């Protein structure tokens, strides 16, 4: 034999030896099977066979050869196979789940910080520029930003309503302290009349409409983005704990633990065999793939649209500038507004008052002013971009899941002896089907029937969120 042929010859001899050795495992005792069974399935179990024997009562791991399994062992193996599958799914999705959940939490925390900063800026504006009305304005400022947060994080509040409510409450303060400074009306009814007149008099010009436009076009996409991320987590949690059919459970048992019954404790399933079983078991899950792909693409498009003057960071951190413009507009139009208010609400009976002065914490002011110098790399837009780039790598997660499980965890490496569901062989000889329900009609290992209502529900939710993302 010449030198180049030696490696090939040795590989053939090794393959024959391994197959023979693996088949020979079943001819000895069941001692190793018993040890693995008790180690894997928690403690000593009475009645384990000491040597192979007939197993006529077995339901799945049937064989003409003597077996090391009893019916009770088969039932325990069935439970173990189900647990193994759940663990494999959770392990496969752990990186993706962590990516989404970590960023969802980070985005929410960043938005909460932005809201606090924007509220800080607005409070500083009143304390520095309009000190006489700062204390009275504090409650309206706080309520406004509380509503912003509630809306962003999914509550049923209307941005147009809370923007109007803020400017409604601001007008009586501006009227009392800037248009008619130094005196205040003691009548709550009169202040309420001024508040109600705000929308007819438009003392702040078009500023409230501008704020509504900016808030609507910045808050809604961010709200939708957060809701989409939470749905992504829900999808993964659901598929991690998906209920498998009886047919699938039996196929996994046959693939994973039936070789143990023949003493083949070191064997792994053939790649083709594993793919048929996994593609059959995960056929309904594979139907998620085009919708999951579209979901990630819609998140990417939504993220790209959240920029410029409608970027939420820009809108929130510049809100105080629009408030200042609104107050200045009313101040400039003071004489005209005073006449209009007198016509609508009458002339008040006034009492000279001294408004409480602002006592805003200087440390907050210092903090608020520092945050205007933001690192370009730390902006919310850049964080979203980095997240989307990472998420894009998982676009085909559900379509490739069965293959990933077999290649990375379950199946024997190419060229090694493997389990085909009945015996140890050199290679799997059956046809290997594709992914998805339509391709399972010719699956030789498992029959897939109907649709999964849980998967259909997830698909409907994904479609709904995708549509919502595209409308923003």
């Amino acid at each position: 034999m010449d030198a180049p042929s030696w490696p090939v010859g040795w590989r053939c001899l090794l393959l024959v030896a391994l197959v023979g050795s693996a088949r020979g495992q079943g001819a000895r005792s069941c001692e190793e099977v018993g040890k693995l069974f008790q180690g894997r399935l928690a403690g000593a179990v009475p009645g384990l066979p000491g040597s192979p024997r007939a197993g006529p009562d077995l339901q799945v791991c049937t064989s003409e050869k003597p077996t090391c399994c009893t019916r009770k062992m088969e039932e325990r193996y069935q439970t173990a196979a189900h647990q193994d599958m759940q663990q494999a799914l959770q392990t496969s999705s752990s990186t993706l789940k962590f990516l989404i959940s970590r960023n969802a939490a980070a985005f929410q925390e960043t938005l909460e910080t932005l809201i606090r900063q924007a509220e800080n800026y607005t409070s500083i504006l009143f304390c520095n520029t309009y000190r006489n009305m700062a204390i009275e304005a504090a409650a309206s400022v706080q309520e406004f930003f509380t509503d912003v947060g509630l809306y962003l994080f999914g509550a049923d509040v209307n941005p147009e309503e809370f923007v109007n409510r803020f400017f409604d409450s601001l007008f009586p303060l501006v009227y009392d302290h800037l248009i008619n400074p130094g005196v205040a009306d003691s009548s709550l009814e009169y202040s309420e009349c001024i508040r109600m007149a705000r929308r007819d008099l438009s003392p702040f010009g078009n500023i409230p409409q501008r704020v509504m436009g900016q808030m609507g076009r910045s808050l809604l996409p961010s709200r939708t983005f957060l809701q989409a991320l939470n749905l992504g987590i829900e999808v993964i949690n659901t598929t991690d704990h998906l209920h498998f059919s009886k047919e699938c459970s039996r196929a996994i048992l046959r693939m994973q633990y039936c070789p143990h019954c023949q003493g083949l404790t070191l064997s792994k399933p053939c790649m083709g065999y594993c793919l048929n079983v996994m593609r059959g078991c995960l056929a309904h899950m594979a139907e998620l793939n085009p919708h999951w792909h579209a979901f990630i693409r819609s998140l990417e498009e939504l993220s790209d649209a959240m920029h410029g003057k409608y970027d939420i960071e820009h809108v929130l951190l510049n809100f105080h500038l629009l408030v200042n413009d609104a107050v200045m507009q009313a101040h400039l139009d003071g004489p005209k507004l005073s006449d209009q208010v007198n016509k609508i609400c009458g002339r008040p009976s006034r009492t000279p008052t001294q408004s409480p002065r602002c006592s805003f914490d200087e440390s907050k002011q210092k903090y608020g002013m520092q945050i205007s110098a933001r690192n370009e790399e730390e902006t919310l837009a850049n964080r979203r971009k980095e997240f989307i780039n990472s998420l894009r790598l998982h676009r085909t997660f559900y379509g490739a899941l069965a293959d990933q499980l077999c290649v990375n965890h379950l199946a024997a490496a190419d060229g090694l002896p493997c389990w085909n569901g009945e015996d140890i062989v050199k290679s799997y000889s059956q046809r290997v089907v594709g992914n998805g329900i339509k391709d399972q009609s010719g699956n030789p290992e498992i029959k897939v029937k109907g649709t999964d209502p849980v998967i259909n529900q997830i698909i409907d939710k994904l479609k709904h969120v995708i549509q919502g993302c595209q409308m923003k």
Side-chain angles (χ1 to χ4, degrees):
M1 184 177 293
D2 55 16
S5 65
W6 276 100
V8 176
W10 277 113
R11 284 201 297 272
C12 291
L13 288 172
L14 177 61
L15 184 61
V16 171
L18 285 171
V19 173
S21 173
R23 287 177 173 168
Q25 279 184 289
R28 296 194 290 270
S29 73
C30 297
E31 181 180 357
E32 189 65 24
V33 176
K35 287 180 180 178
L36 288 173
F37 179 82
Q38 294 183 94
R40 171 67 179 85
L41 301 171
V45 180
L48 298 182
S51 60
R53 64 188 186 185
D57 58 340
L58 298 181
Q59 301 295 307
V60 179
C61 299
T62 57
S63 174
E64 296 178 356
K65 300 176 182 179
T67 179
C68 287
C69 288
T70 65
R71 179 77 182 106
K72 288 290 185 183
M73 289 175 67
E74 189 181 53
E75 291 172 356
R76 298 284 291 277
Y77 275 138
Q78 181 72 80
T79 301
H82 181 268
Q83 292 172 346
D84 290 347
M85 189 64 179
Q86 294 287 351
Q87 183 62 45
L89 288 175
Q90 292 170 25
T91 299
S92 297
S93 67
S94 59
T95 299
L96 174 58
K97 182 177 178 180
F98 178 72
L99 173 67
I100 299 177
S101 59
R102 180 191 62 188
N103 279 279
F107 289 137
Q108 178 161 333
E109 182 179 354
T110 300
L111 289 172
E112 289 170 349
T113 300
L114 285 174
I115 292 169
R116 289 195 301 270
Q117 292 173 355
E119 182 177 349
N120 230 13
Y121 281 160
T122 310
S123 298
I124 290 168
L125 168 71
F126 282 103
C127 275
N128 288 352
T129 310
Y130 309 108
R131 296 181 68 85
N132 288 342
M133 69 175 82
I135 296 297
E136 295 171 83
S140 296
V141 171
Q142 184 179 37
E143 181 184 5
F144 175 80
F145 285 104
T146 297
D147 286 335
V148 169
L150 288 172
Y151 178 76
L152 275 175
F153 304 133
D156 186 19
V157 293
N158 188 312
E160 182 175 340
E161 290 180 3
F162 64 71
V163 169
N164 270 325
R165 192 160 56 244
F166 173 77
F167 284 105
D168 287 347
S169 66
L170 183 60
F171 184 38
L173 302 182
V174 173
Y175 187 82
D176 286 341
H177 295 285
L178 291 180
I179 296 176
N180 288 296
V183 293
D185 177 44
S186 59
S187 167
L188 293 177
E189 289 79 9
Y190 193 78
S191 292
E192 179 65 14
C193 181
I194 297 175
R195 192 188 72 81
M196 295 293 291
R198 197 275 303 177
R199 300 187 197 187
D200 292 328
L201 300 182
S202 299
F204 304 124
N206 69 342
I207 300 297
Q209 286 71 31
R210 287 175 58 189
V211 172
M212 285 180 203
Q214 289 187 9
M215 289 290 170
R217 294 187 63 174
S218 65
L219 298 185
L220 182 56
S222 294
R223 170 185 164 113
T224 303
F225 192 81
L226 272 180
Q227 289 175 335
L229 296 191
N230 288 325
L231 175 62
I233 298 170
E234 179 186 340
V235 170
I236 297 169
N237 282 335
T238 302
T239 55
D240 274 354
H241 300 89
L242 201 64
H243 175 74
F244 293 105
S245 68
K246 182 178 179 180
E247 183 79 19
C248 170
S249 296
R250 290 167 66 93
I252 295 173
L253 168 60
R254 186 180 301 109
M255 181 179 78
Q256 290 291 88
Y257 288 105
C258 283
H260 287 212
C261 296
Q262 296 185 29
L264 306 173
T265 57
L266 301 179
S267 68
K268 282 191 169 186
C270 302
M271 181 61 73
Y273 175 47
C274 180
L275 289 174
N276 277 341
V277 172
M278 288 295 100
R279 288 175 178 176
C281 283
L282 302 179
H284 295 106
M285 204 180 293
E287 297 299 305
L288 285 172
N289 197 58
H291 306 285
W292 182 256
H293 191 286
F295 168 71
I296 293 178
R297 186 173 64 249
S298 67
L299 278 178
E300 183 176 2
E301 292 170 353
L302 179 61
S303 180
D304 289 342
M306 296 159 62
H307 67 277
K309 65 179 182 178
Y310 296 117
D311 176 79
I312 190 169
E313 203 162 9
H314 173 84
V315 169
L316 288 179
L317 296 183
N318 287 280
F319 171 74
H320 67 290
L321 299 178
L322 289 176
V323 172
N324 186 57
D325 290 345
V327 174
M328 291 300 297
Q329 178 71 49
H331 192 197
L332 290 173
D333 293 339
K336 181 182 72 173
L337 290 171
S338 183
D339 290 341
Q340 291 173 327
V341 168
N342 288 339
K343 290 178 181 178
I344 296 172
C345 300
R347 293 183 179 274
S349 173
R350 305 184 202 246
T351 303
T353 62
Q354 181 64 46
S355 297
R357 291 283 177 165
C358 174
S359 58
F360 194 79
D361 187 345
E362 289 185 5
S363 65
K364 290 185 178 180
Q365 178 174 347
K366 185 177 181 181
Y367 169 75
M369 292 310 176
Q370 283 180 337
I371 53 179
S372 60
R374 299 183 61 81
N375 188 329
E376 184 65 24
E377 295 181 358
E378 295 179 355
T379 64
L380 191 58
N382 283 332
R383 290 178 185 175
R384 281 196 309 266
K385 183 178 180 180
E386 181 180 343
F387 164 65
I388 292 296
N389 287 338
S390 298
L391 187 61
R392 197 183 291 119
L393 302 176
H394 300 273
R395 285 177 296 187
T396 61
F397 174 74
Y398 285 105
L401 183 56
D403 299 46
Q404 180 187 346
L405 288 172
C406 289
V407 172
N408 296 339
H409 303 287
L410 301 176
D414 288 341
L416 293 181
C418 54
W419 173 253
N420 69 351
E422 297 179 356
D423 206 345
I424 294 296
V425 296
K426 296 179 182 179
S427 62
Y428 183 67
S429 59
Q430 298 285 348
R431 173 197 171 204
V432 179
V433 300
N435 282 294
I437 294 176
K438 292 181 179 179
D439 287 336
Q440 302 312 306
S441 58
N443 194 323
E445 307 300 341
I446 182 172
K447 293 181 180 179
V448 180
K449 300 177 182 179
T451 60
D452 188 318
V454 175
I455 294 296
N456 290 341
Q457 187 178 34
I458 292 175
I459 289 174
D460 288 342
K461 288 183 178 182
L462 285 172
K463 287 180 177 179
H464 179 73
V465 167
I466 291 167
Q467 184 179 19
C469 289
Q470 292 171 343
M471 292 174 62
K472 305 302 175 280

